[in-house]
Amino acid sequence: MTIVPQPCARCGELIPAERIEAVPETMVCVQCSQEIGGEFKVFVTPERTSKDGSLKKNYGGYSTRKVRKPLKPKGQA
Ligand SMILES: [Zn+2]
């Protein structure tokens, strides 16, 4: 599979193929990701595997949900 560098959604610089390979869903370059404090907000939700009201403790896993932060062009606060 060939990875084609894509332009950053924020500053327009090309995102290196290595970054796209590491984070396929990325839309911004490393620098912009750092400047906006991370591209995604990650929500971690414990998975309930027992019925409500049950006293039985369960140790279900956690599901994570990534939400992409709104991207603004560089220079616009
Ligand atoms: Zn950028």
Side-chain angles (χ1 to χ4, degrees):
M1 181 177 129
T2 307
I3 295 170
V4 181
Q6 299 174 33
C8 170
R10 186 164 175 265
C11 71
E13 295 285 323
L14 283 182
I15 304 169
E18 302 84 62
R19 172 165 166 79
I20 297 172
E21 190 174 13
V23 192
E25 66 267 50
T26 194
M27 286 177 64
V28 295
C29 66
V30 179
Q31 186 171 347
C32 286
S33 179
Q34 287 174 351
E35 285 177 11
I36 64 177
E39 185 177 3
F40 300 98
K41 286 183 180 172
V42 180
F43 296 92
V44 181
T45 314
E47 287 172 347
R48 286 168 160 269
T49 54
S50 63
K51 291 174 189 159
D52 278 342
S54 169
L55 294 176
K56 201 168 91 180
K57 289 207 195 304
N58 70 79
Y59 297 93
Y62 290 85
S63 62
T64 57
R65 198 161 60 92
K66 273 185 178 178
V67 177
R68 193 185 299 275
K69 290 181 182 175
L71 294 172
K72 292 171 186 159
K74 195 174 184 178
Q76 292 181 22

